Amino acid sequence: MTNNQEMIKAGNAMVKVLEAWGVDHLYGIPGGSINSTMDALLEEKDRIKYIQVRHEEVGAMAAAADAKLTGKIGVAFGSAGPGGTHLLNGLYDAREDHVPVLALVGQFGTGGMNMDTFQEMNENPIYADVSVYNVTVMTAASLPHIIDEAIRRAYAQNGVAVVQIPVDLPWQEIPAESWYASANSFQKPVYEHVDAADAQKMIDILAEAERPLIYYGIGTRGAGTELASLAEKMKIPMLSTYPAKGILPDRHPHYLGSANRVAHKPANDALPQADVILFIGSNYPFAEVSKAFKNVKKFLQIDINPAMLGKRHHADVALLADAKQALMKLVELAPTKEVSPWWQANLANIQNWHAYLDKLEHQTSGDLQAYQVYNALNAITNDESIFSLDVGDVNMLANRHLLLKPTNRHFTSNLFATMGVGIPGAIAAKLNYPDKQVFSLSGDGGAAMVMQDLVTQVQYGLPIINVVFSNQQFGFIKDEQEDTNAGYIGVEFNDINFAKVADAVGMQGFRVQKISELADVFAKAKEIAKTQPVLIDARISNERPIPVEAMELDSARFDAKTIADFKQRYAADDLQPFAHYLDQFGVENSQAEAQQGGF
């Protein structure tokens, strides 16, 4: 090495690697063991934006949301010990939803490692389960290379990469020419081949089916037109997993909704009676425990991931292919089928269900309910609005009442289902799409977990419309306890006036308690959110949303009093059992029922 060799701090090289991969912002809280990285971020502040959150969990959740929304890697960091462990909730969310996230974790300097010093511990085992790549940096020279490797692994395996960084290493200088980023070489696989013979087998089976269904998941995103074309051509009703909501317009006349509990009645009605299912781009995690496919005679599966083929049910025909390409081939091969009684019964059932939802949403008297809040929300959204949803009843209600088009985006914690993701996700959405309307939708339970980071929205001038549904309970769990427990415990809590919380952090807030107040408040919020964040605290009633997994409507199964009580409780006077439409169109009722499964 010559005396005039150009040098660079290892931390600066590390941050430049992030920049080369297109990372333009990251989240975290500084600490002694991460301060060398903070130094590098300070020097690179014109090229990468540091977002100070008030809890590392929020940073990791926002990083996961970055990846879910954009497909680009999200990045969060925490200092040694508690700063890093606080990241875990968001990292597990990313792991379960298979999105690329990089976590930078501080570590005591190399001179004090393995000496039981302050906040020093063997961090590697902590992150072993959550990650696809998990290493501790040993030398300054290897730091940028390890970050580059971590990002490539996270992308390649759609998972979490964790790098622990002893604090002394980023401050050390390394030769400026000793590192590089491989970002320019990164490519995603392109899947264009569709096996024509297997596609024809699928079409032949679907053409002979008496009660076929198309069951699609998020792997079909961008293929809504092809899904609708196949359904219309072959007269096959469609249902989806909940995360796939919005791939087709929510009130599409051939769309049954999703099944199980966060679900719609028509999907739960049709699924147990189906004889053939085309399962495409989907991972239905309740399939085995709910015995969802126990009555299916033929199961056809299309997936881009070979590990998914046959995972949830024995596949009679399995096709490894991109969903859109496969659907295009199926549409090409498909015959045009005549209207069938099965098709007619399902479409009538869908219409009846939509009328029920509309009735709830447009109620003008009585206590304020979540349904009317969603109606007011739908009135101020547009075709490109983005929705970050928390976890709980807010998922179930948004699934039924938030009206999306394929150009909208909505996301939540799909499989890990961690509460508190609504507000962090909205922060990520607004950072990535500053010109689009962004909402966070949370129950008061989830909002209370992360409400401190409302100030992050204010601090960075992120115009987000935050809606909190307040009813002083963990409603989703309370309803589970109604079904499975001897009584209620731990599911009710004191009220928080989130409008005052908003005011305390410098955000304009409204508390709505009457249906008549909704339109005016939501219109004001829409105007405010053109330039600054705003919060609406909707003080809703605490009744249970209709349990579509346990309907009590069919007179062949329930006595008149049970049906009358059920209809009265859920304002369901005009809601018909599926048996009514099966009988109307001459379809034999197999009397098969959906099972919830799970907890």
Side-chain angles (χ1 to χ4, degrees):
M1 181 168 56
T2 61
N3 292 333
N4 62 356
Q5 183 175 17
E6 186 178 353
M7 305 294 284
I8 186 174
K9 289 181 180 177
N12 290 30
M14 172 186 72
V15 175
K16 287 181 180 295
V17 169
L18 297 177
E19 294 165 5
W21 280 95
V23 176
D24 57 15
H25 66 271
L26 75 172
Y27 311 88
I29 298 177
S33 59
I34 202 79
N35 269 342
S36 53
T37 295
M38 301 308 297
D39 242 2
L41 291 173
L42 179 63
E43 292 194 37
E44 293 291 312
K45 66 180 180 180
D46 293 334
R47 287 168 288 277
I48 187 167
K49 188 172 186 178
Y50 160 55
I51 303 297
Q52 178 199 62
V53 289
R54 300 304 176 93
H55 196 296
E56 292 91 350
E57 176 186 39
V58 168
M61 287 176 170
D66 282 334
K68 292 176 188 181
L69 275 170
T70 70
K72 292 169 54 178
I73 194 164
V75 183
F77 65 82
S79 56
T85 57
H86 281 166
L87 296 171
L88 280 169
N89 218 31
L91 299 185
Y92 270 104
D93 177 42
R95 186 192 81 161
E96 292 301 288
D97 282 352
H98 306 289
V99 293
V101 165
L102 171 65
L104 307 176
V105 179
Q107 176 59 284
F108 205 92
T110 54
M113 288 177 63
N114 302 318
M115 298 288 288
D116 292 330
T117 47
F118 177 71
Q119 289 189 332
E120 187 276 324
M121 61 189 74
N122 183 5
E123 294 178 323
N124 194 266
I126 298 173
Y127 305 100
D129 181 64
V130 77
S131 60
V132 297
Y133 181 77
N134 174 34
V135 299
T136 300
V137 181
M138 302 304 293
T139 67
S142 67
L143 175 57
H145 168 79
I146 287 173
I147 296 300
D148 188 63
E149 180 77 11
I151 295 172
R152 275 190 287 109
R153 295 282 192 95
Y155 273 126
Q157 296 176 253
N158 293 313
V160 175
V162 183
V163 179
Q164 297 105 47
I165 307 170
V167 70
D168 56 319
L169 299 183
W171 275 315
Q172 295 179 20
E173 291 192 333
I174 62 175
E177 61 180 24
S178 67
W179 67 274
Y180 68 92
S182 61
N184 68 312
S185 302
F186 175 72
Q187 300 176 53
K188 291 185 177 180
V190 177
Y191 298 92
E192 294 183 345
H193 174 72
V194 178
D195 188 281
D198 283 340
Q200 186 63 60
K201 289 178 185 177
M202 289 184 169
I203 289 298
D204 292 343
I205 293 170
L206 289 169
E208 294 297 318
E210 294 182 0
R211 305 183 188 200
L213 292 176
I214 297 171
Y215 197 163
Y216 64 91
I218 57 175
T220 62
R221 183 170 290 137
T225 299
E226 290 76 16
L227 280 167
S229 295
L230 183 62
E232 174 63 30
K233 195 173 184 182
M234 297 196 72
K235 305 301 183 290
I236 305 175
M238 298 173 286
L239 73 157
S240 77
T241 55
Y242 163 58
K245 170 186 170 68
I247 288 175
L248 288 170
D250 273 299
R251 296 297 170 89
H252 191 286
H254 310 150
Y255 175 54
L256 298 159
S258 56
N260 206 259
R261 186 174 172 203
V262 180
H264 294 251
K265 173 183 177 289
N268 277 339
D269 287 339
L271 184 57
Q273 303 231 15
D275 61 356
V276 174
I277 286 180
L278 174 60
F279 195 64
I280 179 165
S282 182
N283 174 31
Y284 180 47
F286 294 98
E288 293 93 343
V289 293
S290 67
K291 298 179 175 61
F293 306 129
K294 67 177 182 179
N295 299 319
V296 173
K297 296 176 181 177
K298 295 289 184 180
F299 191 82
L300 317 174
Q301 187 175 6
I302 300 170
D303 207 284
I304 202 168
N305 182 356
M308 297 305 300
L309 296 175
K311 178 183 172 92
R312 296 303 184 187
H313 191 270
H314 168 75
D316 295 276
V317 184
L319 183 57
L320 181 66
D322 171 76
K324 187 178 181 74
Q325 296 293 326
L327 282 164
M328 290 170 63
K329 175 58 72 173
L330 293 180
V331 172
E332 175 191 327
L333 296 172
T336 300
K337 297 277 289 182
E338 295 295 324
V339 168
S340 69
W342 170 252
W343 171 259
Q344 292 174 302
N346 277 285
L347 266 56
N349 199 28
I350 292 169
Q351 291 173 352
N352 180 242
W353 172 246
H354 288 172
Y356 171 72
L357 299 180
D358 289 341
K359 180 181 177 182
L360 295 177
E361 292 162 13
H362 291 93
Q363 188 168 309
T364 57
S365 61
D367 294 336
L368 176 64
Q369 300 168 302
Y371 322 122
Q372 297 92 49
V373 180
Y374 276 101
N375 186 48
L377 174 62
N378 289 326
I380 68 164
T381 63
N382 60 60
D383 291 353
E384 293 192 338
S385 300
I386 300 173
F387 304 89
S388 174
L389 277 77
D390 217 302
V391 168
D393 268 356
V394 67
N395 297 126
M396 181 190 300
L397 293 164
N399 188 20
R400 299 172 186 174
H401 300 281
L402 178 63
L403 301 183
L404 302 184
K405 296 181 179 179
T407 47
N408 292 122
R409 290 296 302 274
H410 91 296
F411 60 99
T412 185
S413 179
N414 294 319
L415 283 173
F416 195 49
T418 179
M419 292 174 65
V421 296
I423 290 171
I427 291 170
K430 200 64 182 179
L431 287 168
N432 285 292
Y433 301 103
D435 297 328
K436 292 190 178 184
Q437 188 185 50
V438 172
F439 293 84
S440 78
L441 308 179
S442 305
D444 45 358
M449 292 182 175
V450 292
M451 61 184 175
Q452 77 284 335
D453 270 275
L454 289 169
V455 76
T456 303
Q457 298 179 11
V458 176
Q459 184 168 324
Y460 291 97
L462 303 175
I464 294 164
I465 300 175
N466 301 277
V467 182
V468 181
F469 296 84
S470 293
N471 56 6
Q472 297 179 248
Q473 62 181 15
F474 297 117
F476 197 85
I477 307 305
K478 183 179 181 181
D479 296 342
E480 287 182 341
Q481 288 190 358
E482 177 183 347
D483 295 341
T484 62
N485 288 32
Y488 298 127
I489 184 169
V491 292
E492 298 172 345
F493 44 75
N494 287 358
D495 184 41
I496 296 174
N497 188 326
F498 286 94
K500 291 185 176 181
V501 173
D503 181 67
V505 301
M507 180 186 300
Q508 192 162 350
F510 301 90
R511 170 161 266 209
V512 181
Q513 302 188 72
K514 298 179 181 178
I515 298 174
S516 59
E517 299 170 341
L518 287 170
D520 180 56
V521 168
F522 272 86
K524 288 179 180 176
K526 181 180 179 180
E527 287 302 308
I528 292 168
K530 290 178 178 178
T531 58
Q532 56 188 297
V534 62
L535 183 143
I536 300 171
D537 184 2
R539 188 70 174 83
I540 61 170
S541 56
N542 63 359
E543 78 273 7
R544 180 177 184 171
I546 191 167
V548 296
E549 75 284 3
M551 304 295 281
E552 297 177 352
L553 295 172
D554 189 350
S555 60
R557 298 177 52 231
F558 301 100
D559 60 50
K561 184 178 185 308
T562 298
I563 294 172
D565 289 346
F566 185 87
K567 287 188 171 185
Q568 181 178 13
R569 178 176 181 181
Y570 298 109
D573 287 343
D574 299 323
L575 201 56
Q576 297 290 341
F578 191 35
H580 171 80
Y581 297 109
L582 294 175
D583 181 64
Q584 178 181 337
F585 292 100
V587 182
E588 183 182 356
N589 188 348
S590 69
Q591 301 296 333
E593 303 173 32
Q595 294 178 247
Q596 183 178 345
F599 301 107

